[in-house]
Amino acid sequence: MTVCNKFVVSGYNFNLVFFLLAVQSIVCLFTIGTLKAFGVITYREYNSSEAKKWSPIAFLLVLMIYTSSKALQFLAIPVYTIFKNLTIILIAYGEVLWFGGAVTPMALGSFILMVLSSVIACYGDTDAETGGFNLNIGYFWMFTNCFASATFVLTMRKRIKLTNFKDFDTMYYNNLLSVPILLIASFVLEDWSAENLALNFPEDNRFATIAAMIFTGSASVGISYCSGWCIRVTSSTTYSMVGALNKLPIALSGLVFFDAPINFFSISSIFVGFGAGIVYAVAKKQQAQQNQTLPK
């Protein structure tokens, strides 16, 4: 999904980001609605009271995915995926405050490794095509996305506990409430002139762009389900850390498909970040074993 989003938002002067996100949510809704109609899955019917309580989470979701798309537009995929891991630190300490969690020394060490991998990535991000101005803008969107993502994950976990939402319930309300926000933002803030539409969907690449938008919407079905399940049954920090382990294939795909800078720093940052994920996994295992040995 990250590779396809990068293809859409960074090529052919694409600037209808809100519309792209709305299409993805609509495709996701259509997919799970079809599966429900055939009896494959089930989820709660729409309830206005629950929707009102869930609406702040939908707003945070829109903020998170929009800032993610903007960051992806200006940053190389390896830098984007590695900086996303800074969110883990925010979530970990947010979880300590909200849910009474704990950060062990080894877990803290894994966070430090994540920061180190991001610093190394900065040195490796020497693509001359981005230029200084776009690079600064990209990092602004990236840090905004980190805070928005942490707030979204922590708030959603709290709301899931209060409402006892299941995974498809979470998917349904997240996407249903996001679509109106995204469409309104698109029609108000984005350029829908014939000239801009021709610029965003050029005749020679129109089918590929539309196909990529639909494919990312289909991919979001699996991502939304797995995200909701992981947040519900584990912790917000573990969810983020496990997600960080996908950086290796994603970052490598950026090096292969989008001519991202390939040098010692860009390669090293990927493996340092991957090592941080392994250290965190060991830390969580040790913490679980210690909790089991404590007297009850």
Side-chain angles (χ1 to χ4, degrees):
M1 183 174 181
T2 300
V3 174
C4 287
N5 273 340
K6 178 67 174 176
F7 170 78
V8 174
V9 302
S10 65
Y12 296 91
N13 301 305
F14 191 88
N15 54 39
L16 298 176
V17 177
F18 281 120
F19 178 68
L20 166 65
L21 300 176
V23 169
Q24 291 174 349
S25 292
I26 292 171
V27 171
C28 184
L29 281 172
F30 176 79
T31 303
I32 63 175
T34 302
L35 291 174
K36 183 179 181 181
F38 283 98
V40 179
I41 65 172
T42 183
Y43 51 83
R44 303 185 189 191
E45 297 295 332
Y46 176 81
N47 181 285
S48 58
S49 177
E50 290 179 339
K52 185 177 181 180
K53 295 176 182 177
W54 199 266
S55 56
I57 298 175
F59 176 79
L60 287 170
L61 174 63
V62 171
L63 182 63
M64 180 185 72
I65 55 182
Y66 177 72
T67 54
S68 174
S69 297
K70 294 299 291 184
L72 194 60
Q73 183 175 358
F74 294 108
L75 294 178
I77 285 184
V79 177
Y80 167 82
T81 53
I82 291 166
F83 262 91
K84 280 286 287 184
N85 296 323
L86 294 176
T87 309
I88 299 169
I89 301 175
L90 298 176
I91 291 175
Y93 285 98
E95 203 160 47
V96 171
L97 296 174
W98 283 25
F99 301 102
V103 178
T104 64
M106 183 174 284
L108 180 60
S110 70
F111 300 156
I112 294 174
L113 282 176
M114 282 294 179
V115 175
L116 178 61
S117 72
S118 300
V119 173
I120 297 174
C122 287
Y123 282 102
D125 187 29
T126 55
D127 189 356
E129 293 181 1
T130 57
F133 177 73
N134 284 349
L135 188 63
N136 291 334
I137 290 294
Y139 283 119
F140 165 77
W141 287 116
M142 191 72 258
F143 283 114
T144 304
N145 177 254
C146 287
F147 283 99
S149 299
T151 306
F152 167 74
V153 171
L154 291 168
T155 305
M156 186 165 77
R157 187 182 177 209
K158 193 174 186 69
R159 180 53 59 184
I160 287 175
K161 286 182 174 293
L162 293 175
T163 59
N164 197 30
F165 266 26
K166 301 303 180 184
D167 306 319
F168 286 112
D169 299 329
T170 302
M171 286 177 61
Y172 175 66
Y173 275 95
N174 273 344
N175 287 282
L176 180 68
L177 298 176
S178 298
V179 169
I181 301 174
L182 291 167
L183 289 177
I184 292 173
S186 178
F187 288 120
V188 172
L189 301 176
E190 295 177 335
D191 184 2
W192 279 84
S193 64
E195 294 80 7
N196 194 54
L197 288 176
L199 187 67
N200 281 270
F201 300 98
E203 188 173 353
D204 61 335
N205 197 55
R206 186 171 301 161
F207 177 79
T209 302
I210 295 174
M213 294 171 68
I214 294 175
F215 176 80
T216 55
S218 302
S220 70
V221 176
I223 294 172
S224 297
Y225 177 81
C226 294
S227 298
W229 175 85
C230 194
I231 292 174
R232 179 174 58 85
V233 302
T234 62
S235 68
S236 306
T237 307
T238 298
Y239 157 74
S240 299
M241 203 67 181
V242 171
L245 292 178
N246 70 11
K247 82 165 62 62
L248 187 58
I250 290 179
L252 290 177
S253 70
L255 299 177
V256 173
F257 294 116
F258 294 102
D259 296 323
I262 302 176
N263 51 49
F264 172 78
F265 294 108
S266 62
I267 298 297
S268 298
S269 65
I270 295 172
F271 286 98
V272 171
F274 186 79
I278 300 300
V279 172
Y280 179 80
V282 174
K284 293 299 290 185
K285 183 178 180 180
Q286 290 182 352
Q287 186 179 8
Q289 292 174 343
Q290 185 180 19
N291 291 339
Q292 289 177 355
T293 59
L294 291 176
K296 296 183 180 179

